Amino acid sequence: MDFGRSEKRSRGGTGFSLGSPPYNNVDEILEALLKSSENHVLADSLERLMNKRVTDVEKNAFLEKSLVLGQCLQEAAQRLARQRSTDHNSLVWPLTHDLTVKVFSLLGTQTLCFAAATCAMFYKSAIDPACYADIDLISSGFKIVSNITVSKMVQRAGPCFRSLKLGVSQQQGKSSTASFKLFGSTVDIHLNSADALERSWQYRNRNHDRRTCKLTRSCLDTLSLENGVAGALLKTLHLFNIDEMDSKALCNAISSCPSLSDLEVVGLHVQLKSIIHCLSSHCHYLERLCCQSSKTGRAEGLKSHTCTQFLKGCPKISSLSLKGFKLRDKKLNSLLKGFFHLKFVDFSTAAYVTGTFLRSLTHTGNELPLEILILRDCMCLKEVEVDKFLFALSAGECKYLRHLDISNKDGLAAENRFERHSRPSAEGIARLQSERPQFHLVAEFPAEKGCSDIDSMKSSFDDSDESEALGLRTPSSISMSEFSSESNYSIDTSSDADENGSNDDNGS
C-alpha cells in the first residue's frame, strides 16, 4: 500500500476523499491499516510522509490532520461498540420496552439515573415521562441538587408529573432504652437515661449539622411556568430544610397546585398562617398536611379566623401534623371537631398544649374517626389530663383510637407548672390495657429513683394468676437508669404575652 500516492490523488483532485465515493478504496485503506499488526511500521510511514513536506507549516498541518483522522477513527469505533452492546442487550433483555418502563417507574430517582447511565437501551427506557411521575431529589441520595436539576426532572415528567420531594433529610436517631412491655406489645413504657433522652431530642429537633443545600427560593418556579401546567398535575409536595425558602415563594408555588393532596414542610422558615391561608384558598382537595417549625416551640400559633378558614377551605383533611408551634387547646379542639375525616393527629412539641382538649374527645356527641394521636414532648401537657383521658379510654370512649403517644423528655407537667412527673399513673395504664388489650400506648419518660409505681405494677402482674390469661410477658431482668432532670422547661413569655394580648388567641 502506498499511502503517499493515495494522498496525492486526493490532493490533486483526481482521486477520492474520505467523505465521498468510491467507498471501496477507503475500505481497502482501512483494511490494510488494520492488518498491520506492527505499530512501528505505521509510525515509520507517518514519519516519512511528514518529512516529504518542505515547510514547517505543511508539516504541522499534516500532523494536525493525522490527529483528527485518528480521533475520528476512535470515535467511530467507540460508537460502533456501543451500538453492538445495545443490540446485544436488546436481544438478551427479557422484558419489552413497555414493561421496562413500568419497572423503571417503580425505582427511586437516584436509582433511575444510575440505570440510565448504564447503556443506551436503558437510557431510552429511563427517559420515558412515566419514570418521572414521582421525583425524589432528597439530598440523602443526591449530593448536589440545583434549581436546574429540578426543572429538568419536571420537564421530563411532562403530563405524568405527580410527586416532588426536595431538600435535605435528616436521619432519626435511636436511643438505647430499658423497657418492658405489658400484654404483648400493646404498651411500650421506656425509662430513658438523661443522655439517651437528650440525644433523641436533638435528633428530632436539630437544626444544626445540615449539609449545604444548593436549592434556592426559586426552586419551585417551574411549577408556575406556562400558566402552571406542571403545578396543576402535582398531588404530593415534600420539602425538607431548604434554608432559602420563604413564605412568599412557597405560597406562590402552592397557589399553582389546585390538585395538591399531600403537603409536608419540615424545617423551612415560613409562616404557618401564610401556608394555611394559601391552602384554604387554592388546595381544596388536601388530605394530608405536615408542618414542622424550624424553631421548635418558638414559632407562631394559630388564630381563630385562621382555623375557621382552614376548616372551610380544606374539609377533606384526614392527617394533620403541626409540630413545634405555639398551639393552644382551644384551637386544637376546634380543629379536631371541625375535620370530620381526621384519623391521624400529631401535635408534638406544641408549646402551650395542656391536654384540656382531650376532654372534648370523650364528651362529643359524634364519635370521631381519630385512630392515632401523638403528643410527644408537649412541654405543658398535664399528668392529670392524661390520667383522665386514659380512664375515659378504658371506659370505651374514642373507640376508633388505637395508638396514643404521650412521651416526654422532661416528664408530664403537674398542677404546679414548675413541677414534673415522670409518667402517668400506673393504675390508669393497667386499667386501659385490661379493658382494651389491643390499644397501643407509647410512653417514653425520664427514669426516677426507685420507679416504685412501675415496679409495683410489674410485680403485681408477675404474682397474679391472671397474667397468663391476659398474655403478660415480662423480661427476666430489667435495668433502669437513674435520671435527675436538671432542665426546667421554659416558655417564651414575651411571645405568650403578645399572644394573650390578641382577642383571638386568649384561653386554652
Side-chain angles (χ1 to χ4, degrees):
M1 179 192 68
D2 192 346
F3 190 83
R5 284 188 300 173
S6 299
E7 184 186 18
K8 288 179 181 178
R9 289 201 305 268
S10 176
R11 292 174 59 189
T14 59
F16 62 90
S17 63
L18 294 179
S20 60
Y23 297 109
N24 292 335
N25 293 335
V26 178
D27 295 344
E28 292 176 359
I29 294 174
L30 291 177
E31 189 72 27
L33 290 174
L34 293 175
K35 287 182 179 179
S36 178
S37 58
E38 297 180 359
N39 294 334
H40 66 87
V41 175
L42 295 177
D44 293 342
S45 177
L46 191 66
E47 184 178 1
R48 287 194 299 271
L49 292 175
M50 183 189 68
N51 292 332
K52 290 181 180 180
R53 273 65 180 172
V54 179
T55 64
D56 290 339
V57 175
E58 291 179 344
K59 291 181 179 180
N60 291 335
F62 173 79
L63 291 177
E64 184 176 354
K65 290 182 179 180
S66 300
L67 292 174
V68 172
L69 177 61
Q71 185 178 0
C72 291
L73 290 175
Q74 182 180 9
E75 292 177 354
Q78 291 176 348
R79 184 170 59 255
L80 291 174
R82 290 194 298 268
Q83 183 61 44
R84 282 185 52 80
S85 298
T86 300
D87 296 339
H88 173 76
N89 293 338
S90 300
L91 292 175
V92 300
W93 183 247
L95 302 181
T96 63
H97 175 75
D98 294 339
L99 288 177
T100 304
V101 172
K102 179 63 177 178
V103 173
F104 282 3
S105 66
L106 301 177
L107 301 177
T109 307
Q110 181 186 17
T111 308
L112 180 64
C113 292
F114 289 157
T118 303
C119 66
M121 184 192 71
F122 277 6
Y123 177 79
K124 292 179 181 179
S125 300
I127 61 174
D128 192 280
C131 298
Y132 297 89
D134 301 316
I135 301 175
D136 187 353
L137 297 176
I138 302 298
S139 292
S140 58
F142 292 86
K143 294 183 178 180
I144 299 178
V145 177
S146 64
N147 297 356
I148 298 178
T149 305
V150 178
S151 179
K152 288 183 177 180
M153 291 290 182
V154 173
Q155 290 177 2
R156 284 186 180 183
C160 299
F161 185 46
R162 293 294 182 271
S163 173
L164 179 62
K165 299 178 182 179
L166 302 175
V168 180
S169 66
Q170 296 175 351
Q171 296 288 337
Q172 295 294 328
K174 295 183 179 179
S175 60
S176 57
T177 62
S179 66
F180 66 86
K181 300 178 180 181
L182 301 178
F183 307 111
S185 60
T186 56
V187 175
D188 297 338
I189 302 178
H190 297 261
L191 299 178
N192 300 280
S193 65
D195 293 339
L197 279 166
E198 189 62 28
R199 286 196 300 270
S200 178
W201 174 261
Q202 289 179 357
Y203 275 115
R204 285 194 297 267
N205 300 281
R206 64 181 180 179
N207 289 312
H208 61 281
D209 195 26
R210 293 184 181 178
R211 284 166 292 178
T212 303
C213 183
K214 302 295 184 181
L215 297 174
T216 66
R217 65 185 304 272
S218 59
C219 62
L220 299 178
D221 287 354
T222 184
L223 300 179
S224 57
L225 295 178
E226 299 180 359
N227 297 323
V229 174
L233 302 171
L234 187 64
K235 293 184 178 297
T236 301
L237 178 61
H238 293 181
L239 304 174
F240 300 92
N241 304 305
I242 303 177
D243 292 332
E244 295 189 21
M245 181 65 66
D246 55 23
S247 299
K248 183 177 180 180
L250 178 59
C251 290
N252 287 338
I254 293 176
S255 62
S256 301
C257 306
S259 301
L260 191 66
S261 61
D262 183 358
L263 176 63
E264 184 169 354
V265 178
V266 176
L268 272 62
H269 303 290
V270 296
Q271 295 180 349
L272 179 62
K273 178 181 67 174
S274 301
I275 295 177
I276 290 182
H277 279 309
C278 185
L279 291 174
S280 303
S281 302
H282 301 93
C283 304
H284 304 301
Y285 298 99
L286 189 69
E287 297 179 2
R288 178 180 180 269
L289 174 61
C290 177
C291 290
Q292 182 172 346
S293 171
S294 59
K295 298 180 179 179
T296 302
R298 294 183 178 273
E300 85 279 10
L302 290 177
K303 294 185 178 181
S304 298
H305 69 86
T306 303
C307 294
T308 302
Q309 185 180 12
F310 190 27
L311 294 173
K312 293 181 179 180
C314 303
K316 296 186 177 182
I317 289 286
S318 61
S319 176
L320 180 61
S321 298
L322 301 176
K323 296 183 282 187
F325 295 97
K326 293 191 292 188
L327 304 176
R328 294 186 177 275
D329 294 78
K330 182 178 179 181
K331 307 303 183 298
L332 301 188
N333 186 25
S334 63
L335 291 177
L336 292 177
K337 286 186 176 182
F339 288 123
F340 301 107
H341 306 285
L342 200 58
K343 294 183 178 181
F344 177 92
V345 168
D346 187 354
F347 296 135
S348 298
T349 63
Y352 297 124
V353 172
T354 62
T356 56
F357 78 95
L358 296 173
R359 303 175 188 177
S360 62
L361 296 181
T362 59
H363 293 87
T364 180
N366 298 324
E367 189 69 31
L368 298 178
L370 187 63
E371 297 180 2
I372 298 176
L373 177 60
I374 301 176
L375 301 174
R376 178 178 287 268
D377 293 318
C378 293
M379 305 296 288
C380 298
L381 186 62
K382 293 184 178 181
E383 179 199 19
V384 61
E385 299 296 341
V386 172
D387 289 338
K388 290 180 180 179
F389 187 60
L390 293 179
F391 276 101
L393 292 177
S394 62
E397 299 288 348
C398 300
K399 62 180 180 181
Y400 296 108
L401 190 65
R402 55 183 174 84
H403 179 95
L404 175 63
D405 189 346
I406 53 173
S407 305
N408 200 304
K409 72 184 186 71
D410 290 323
L412 298 176
E415 287 296 330
N416 184 348
R417 59 182 292 181
F418 297 104
E419 294 181 2
R420 313 294 293 181
H421 291 283
S422 63
R423 55 191 176 272
S425 66
E427 180 183 359
I429 296 176
R431 182 175 177 181
L432 173 62
Q433 295 310 303
S434 177
E435 298 295 333
R436 300 173 66 170
Q438 301 302 321
F439 193 90
H440 190 198
L441 175 65
V442 180
E444 296 181 5
F445 296 102
E448 287 184 333
K449 294 182 179 180
C451 303
S452 57
D453 292 341
I454 297 296
D455 290 336
S456 61
M457 184 174 63
K458 173 182 173 294
S459 61
S460 65
F461 281 117
D462 286 337
D463 297 336
S464 175
D465 296 335
E466 191 181 8
S467 60
E468 295 183 2
L470 294 176
L472 174 63
R473 295 182 300 183
T474 57
S476 57
S477 60
I478 301 174
S479 60
M480 296 185 179
S481 305
E482 295 184 354
F483 172 74
S484 176
S485 178
E486 298 178 356
S487 61
N488 293 327
Y489 72 95
S490 60
I491 300 175
D492 191 350
T493 55
S494 60
S495 299
D496 193 13
D498 294 339
E499 190 172 4
N500 287 334
S502 174
N503 295 329
D504 290 326
D505 287 349
N506 287 336
S508 59

